Amino acid sequence: MFYAREAVHRGLLTKNALRSSAWQQLFHNVYADSRLEISHRTRCHAAASWLFPPGCAIAGRSAVALLGGPQPRPAEPVEVLVEPTARFGPVAGLRIHVATWREGEVWRVDGMPVTSPTRTCWDLAYWLDLVEAVAHVDALLHSGAARMEELMAYLRRRKGERGARRLAQVLDLVDGGAESLPESRLRVRLVEAGAPRPVTQHVIERHGRFVARVDLAWPAFKVAVEYDGLWHHDPEQFHRDRRRLNQILGEEWIVLHVTSRRLAEDFDGILTELRTALTSRRPRT
């Protein structure tokens, strides 16, 4: 990666050469070899290395990615927290939030300034809607980057501040057992719609031996929900899943399958099916 203005000024490249297929533009004046595979992390590194003045840190969903959580798509804007005194932005390709931070709330990750896990969770709760905030905090908890006791202590320290209530709502719904953002989104939407809170990644056993693990479960009712992500398009994985489903049904479980399309287009139908399944069963002890 390099700063185009400097390369042109030093005579290493011409403006016409920058327009060739040999180079790709990441941000204004920031270019890279066209053979370089660009990820969101790559774009974070480019922004931090070539654009940031002092007083900037990668934040929000971009910070989640750098702290071990899922990465946004490469084209999504890099989220940046900027101290008011930095007077940085706007910049195409960056989503800039202006706010102060406290000592210890910005770390160095691979040489990049990144908001700490606790500060990242605070920002996520304040910037995102409830479902998205919980999903990303789930991801930080699942990866081990964030710890619930540290988040609760952070919340206590900031009690009464603007944003504390939002973080409290998020922490009331988080579950570090969630293994993907869609699973978290599904769980939170179900709970917010009035469904009982499920157990995540529940292990089903027969005579003390492992049978299967399901995404969401209501063990007392023997009802489970499985989220079918894109990886289920793999025929071999689909075959293994259906064999596992047969084993679960042999244990008299009701298993509901939810696809990404149904979650986006037919949540009411999913909720109705779950309610019907739960009301058809008496809690089992």
Side-chain angles (χ1 to χ4, degrees):
M1 290 178 281
F2 60 94
Y3 198 60
R5 184 178 299 169
E6 180 181 348
V8 171
H9 177 73
R10 295 173 58 184
L12 300 175
L13 287 171
T14 65
K15 290 183 179 180
N16 284 336
L18 284 173
R19 299 189 187 100
S20 75
S21 60
W23 311 106
Q24 57 182 321
Q25 185 177 22
L26 302 182
F27 299 101
H28 178 64
N29 270 324
V30 180
Y31 284 73
D33 191 306
S34 62
R35 293 169 295 182
L36 179 65
E37 184 175 351
I38 302 301
S39 65
H40 191 80
R41 189 183 186 94
T42 306
R43 296 185 73 246
C44 288
H45 191 272
S49 300
W50 298 100
L51 297 177
F52 285 7
C56 298
I58 294 167
R61 285 164 287 198
S62 298
V64 171
L66 297 182
L67 292 168
Q71 290 198 49
R73 291 186 295 271
E76 290 192 37
V78 173
E79 294 198 74
V80 185
L81 184 65
V82 178
E83 287 271 13
T85 56
R87 300 184 180 277
F88 176 63
V91 177
L94 303 183
R95 181 175 291 122
I96 292 176
H97 308 270
V98 179
T100 59
W101 62 71
R102 302 177 181 189
E103 184 178 355
E105 290 186 346
V106 171
W107 293 3
R108 304 296 295 189
V109 177
D110 293 339
M112 295 175 278
V114 180
T115 53
S116 68
T118 50
R119 176 57 193 247
T120 299
C121 292
W122 173 274
D123 290 334
L124 291 168
Y126 193 67
W127 297 341
L128 304 182
D129 65 61
L130 183 64
V131 172
E132 283 301 300
V134 172
H136 284 82
V137 176
D138 276 356
L140 287 176
L141 288 169
H142 185 76
S143 71
R147 296 167 59 88
M148 192 64 180
E149 57 269 29
E150 292 174 350
L151 291 175
M152 294 302 296
Y154 185 81
L155 177 60
R156 287 192 294 271
R157 289 196 299 272
R158 303 200 65 167
K159 184 178 180 180
E161 294 185 36
R162 186 177 182 182
R165 184 175 297 179
R166 295 286 295 274
L167 181 59
Q169 291 175 323
V170 168
L171 296 185
D172 187 54
L173 289 167
V174 295
D175 189 320
E179 292 191 337
S180 73
L181 296 178
E183 287 177 27
S184 291
R185 292 170 183 138
L186 173 59
R187 185 192 81 247
V188 177
R189 290 185 67 182
L190 290 172
V191 172
E192 285 292 283
R197 188 161 183 159
V199 177
T200 57
Q201 302 304 316
H202 177 68
V203 173
I204 299 173
E205 296 180 338
R206 177 190 294 134
H207 307 306
R209 301 186 66 178
F210 176 86
V211 173
R213 187 178 64 166
V214 291
D215 296 333
L216 305 175
W218 291 261
F221 298 86
K222 284 200 170 183
V223 172
V225 170
E226 284 276 88
Y227 179 79
D228 290 339
L230 292 176
W231 56 273
H232 284 82
H233 293 302
D234 174 2
E236 285 302 313
Q237 183 62 51
F238 185 83
H239 172 73
R240 289 192 296 269
D241 261 16
R242 288 304 175 262
R243 183 173 59 186
R244 183 170 62 98
L245 175 59
N246 289 338
Q247 290 178 308
I248 297 171
L249 290 175
E251 288 295 295
E252 299 179 352
W253 280 72
I254 295 175
V255 182
L256 306 176
H257 283 261
V258 176
T259 63
S260 58
R261 180 173 178 177
R262 282 205 70 198
L263 182 57
E265 300 177 2
D266 187 30
F267 177 74
D268 288 344
I270 295 168
L271 184 61
T272 297
E273 290 174 6
L274 175 62
R275 286 172 172 165
T276 300
L278 292 174
T279 55
S280 72
R281 295 294 187 91
R282 292 182 178 179
R284 303 186 179 202
T285 57

